[in-house]
Amino acid sequence: MTESGGMMRPLIEAIHSTPTKAVVYIAGGAAHAVGWLTSIPGASNTLLEAVIPYSRMSMIQLLGKIPAQFADSSTAEDMALVAYNRALKISKPGCPVLGVGFTGSLATNRLKQGDHRFHMCIRTSNRLWLSTVTLSKGLRTREEEEILSSQFLLKAIAGASKAPVDFTPALNELDISTERESLFSEDEELEQLLNGQICFKVYDFTSEEQALSAERKIILPGSFNPLHEGHLQLMEVASSLLGNGYPCFELSAVNADKPPLTISQIKDRVKQFEMAGKTIIISNQPYFYKKAELFPGSAFVIGADTVVRLIDPKYYDGSYNRMIEVLLKCKNTGCTFIVGGRNVDGVFKVLEDIDVPDVLKDMFIPIPADKFRMDISSTELRKRGM
């Protein structure tokens, strides 16, 4: 490690000691930050992914659009949001995550017309922090500007990770540093989810430490209107069947056939899980092939009636081949389906009663009927006024 990197060692060790994990996207500077983070033991405690989208096309593909400017604060903000959503998808259940975006226009081998500057943004579940540093032009070499921008970025990551910060990068009186912060209420977070800015929000009401060791999510999707004993028993049986895994219930706020849930409806349903001491994920994806992209490698707990719909070509524009293609994509992400018995057209069926295509069979794992059987549904409970 270089002398400048060695100076950062205590700060990096403090970052690595926190439970927060990050996805980092940087362009146009601060490259030393990634090198320093990975050169200190414990980097896997912090870094989920680091990407340098340096070319124009790389940045466009990362953001899914052409930015108005490649080195400005709005681009850093867009990068941080993409990084945050990526961190949600690839982190362990219940793990605090942050998305980091950095873009800069630093000294180069030609005279620049504009300022030497860099922009940093960090996004967490309820916070957006943005900073711009404009450097004195001609005062530093490119390497010195790289070191300074890397130091600023690591300090920002430390602050967002709640690591003890006892370091301030050195600026002179002609350098200008500005920053702003936005805090989001629960309602604002849910509004961002409904409009597609963030892909899901986790409410972790468990008191267990499973999230520290479990890599795989065990997800039971549903409307939970209301949450009932059948849901809880089904999850318990599925979890015991699979062994190591982190049980999560999942509610899609967006429905393929109905209007999206309102914020008040979402919060009312979340309260049920708070009372039960269970984890609930609120997503905006009603389709399983999209859920597989959101939660790669997860085990989804479903009923036999859902299996019937999953393999029905009518839900794939009438195409059997399209059905196979879509479900193979789910399979390739490592997703499986844990199947409990359920009434289908008035007849109780288990997985073995359903003709699953051979190429998909290893995706589906049956729950024996003697382990779980409950015919009641949320719809029937609502009809009874329960």
Side-chain angles (χ1 to χ4, degrees):
M1 179 179 279
T2 63
E3 181 180 348
S4 55
M7 182 174 63
M8 302 300 294
R9 189 181 189 97
L11 182 63
I12 295 168
E13 289 176 340
I15 293 172
H16 290 341
S17 71
T18 74
T20 302
K21 295 188 181 294
V23 168
V24 180
Y25 294 153
I26 59 176
H32 289 305
V34 174
W36 293 342
L37 279 171
T38 55
S39 65
I40 301 293
S44 60
N45 294 336
T46 300
L47 265 185
L48 292 167
E49 181 175 274
V51 176
I52 303 177
Y54 216 81
S55 73
R56 171 185 170 85
M57 288 309 301
S58 179
M59 182 67 78
I60 291 171
Q61 288 200 8
L62 177 74
L63 301 181
K65 65 179 183 181
I66 301 174
Q69 294 185 44
F70 283 79
D72 72 355
S73 58
S74 62
T75 300
E77 186 172 340
D78 289 341
M79 293 169 75
L81 183 59
V82 173
Y84 174 69
N85 279 309
R86 176 70 172 158
L88 284 174
K89 294 175 186 178
I90 63 176
S91 60
K92 288 184 179 181
C95 175
V97 299
L98 52 89
V100 180
F102 175 101
T103 182
S105 179
L106 304 183
T108 185
N109 55 5
R110 55 181 171 78
L111 184 64
K112 282 194 172 180
Q113 297 295 321
D115 293 326
H116 294 189
R117 66 194 186 281
F118 56 87
H119 311 273
M120 303 172 290
C121 185
I122 293 185
R123 170 68 200 244
T124 67
S125 62
N126 65 347
R127 176 178 178 261
L128 180 79
W129 177 86
L130 188 64
S131 176
T132 294
V133 177
T134 304
L135 302 173
S136 305
K137 202 169 179 179
L139 181 65
R140 302 175 180 89
T141 65
R142 170 63 184 237
E143 176 64 13
E144 289 169 337
E145 291 187 354
E146 278 281 354
I147 290 171
L148 184 63
S149 61
S150 298
Q151 291 172 342
F152 264 95
L153 186 60
L154 287 177
K155 180 185 177 185
I157 292 172
S161 302
K162 299 180 181 177
V165 179
D166 187 22
F167 174 78
T168 301
L171 294 178
N172 68 32
E173 64 276 7
L174 298 178
D175 298 323
I176 302 171
S177 176
T178 62
E179 63 180 71
R180 63 178 173 86
E181 181 181 56
S182 300
L183 298 177
F184 306 119
S185 66
E186 181 184 5
D187 284 13
E188 287 172 324
E189 287 181 66
L190 292 173
E191 185 63 41
Q192 291 171 7
L193 183 139
L194 287 168
N195 66 28
Q197 283 182 268
I198 60 175
C199 57
F200 61 84
K201 176 174 171 57
V202 180
Y203 291 87
D204 188 358
F205 298 120
T206 60
S207 57
E208 303 170 17
E209 295 298 320
Q210 290 164 294
L212 297 178
S213 59
E215 290 280 355
R216 191 182 205 191
K217 298 180 181 76
I218 304 172
I219 299 176
L220 198 163
S223 60
F224 308 114
N225 186 25
L227 171 68
H228 58 72
E229 190 61 30
H231 294 131
L232 300 175
Q233 288 184 16
L234 180 56
M235 176 62 89
E236 184 177 343
V237 171
S239 298
S240 64
L241 191 67
L242 288 176
N244 187 37
Y246 188 71
C248 314
F249 296 84
E250 185 254 347
L251 168 67
S252 176
V254 178
N255 192 295
D257 306 311
K258 303 173 186 176
L261 298 177
T262 65
I263 289 174
S264 62
Q265 286 174 322
I266 296 171
K267 291 168 76 172
D268 284 343
R269 296 190 197 181
V270 166
K271 286 176 185 175
Q272 301 175 103
F273 294 89
E274 183 175 16
M275 294 176 65
K278 304 296 181 182
T279 296
I280 176 70
I281 300 173
I282 311 300
S283 81
N284 53 18
Q285 293 296 346
Y287 300 108
F288 270 104
Y289 74 95
K290 288 293 186 181
K291 294 182 194 291
E293 293 175 5
L294 278 186
F295 311 113
S298 295
F300 292 94
V301 185
I302 61 176
D305 55 331
T306 302
V307 177
V308 171
R309 292 194 297 274
L310 270 177
I311 63 173
D312 190 338
K314 81 175 185 181
Y315 295 104
Y316 305 86
D317 298 324
S319 171
Y320 178 88
N321 289 337
R322 174 63 178 158
M323 177 269 292
I324 295 292
E325 178 188 350
V326 168
L327 291 180
L328 281 178
K329 285 183 179 179
C330 296
K331 181 179 177 178
N332 290 338
T333 69
C335 289
T336 55
F337 296 101
I338 315 303
V339 184
R342 194 75 189 271
N343 276 328
V344 180
D345 298 326
V347 179
F348 185 82
K349 290 189 176 183
V350 294
L351 177 62
E352 290 82 356
D353 298 318
I354 302 168
D355 187 18
V356 177
D358 289 344
V359 71
L360 302 175
K361 279 187 176 178
D362 58 351
M363 288 181 70
F364 296 88
I365 301 170
I367 296 176
D370 61 347
K371 297 288 186 183
F372 175 83
R373 174 165 181 166
M374 184 169 286
D375 300 342
I376 196 70
S377 68
S378 295
T379 302
E380 290 168 327
L381 288 175
R382 287 198 303 275
K383 288 178 180 176
R384 298 179 188 180
M386 298 175 68

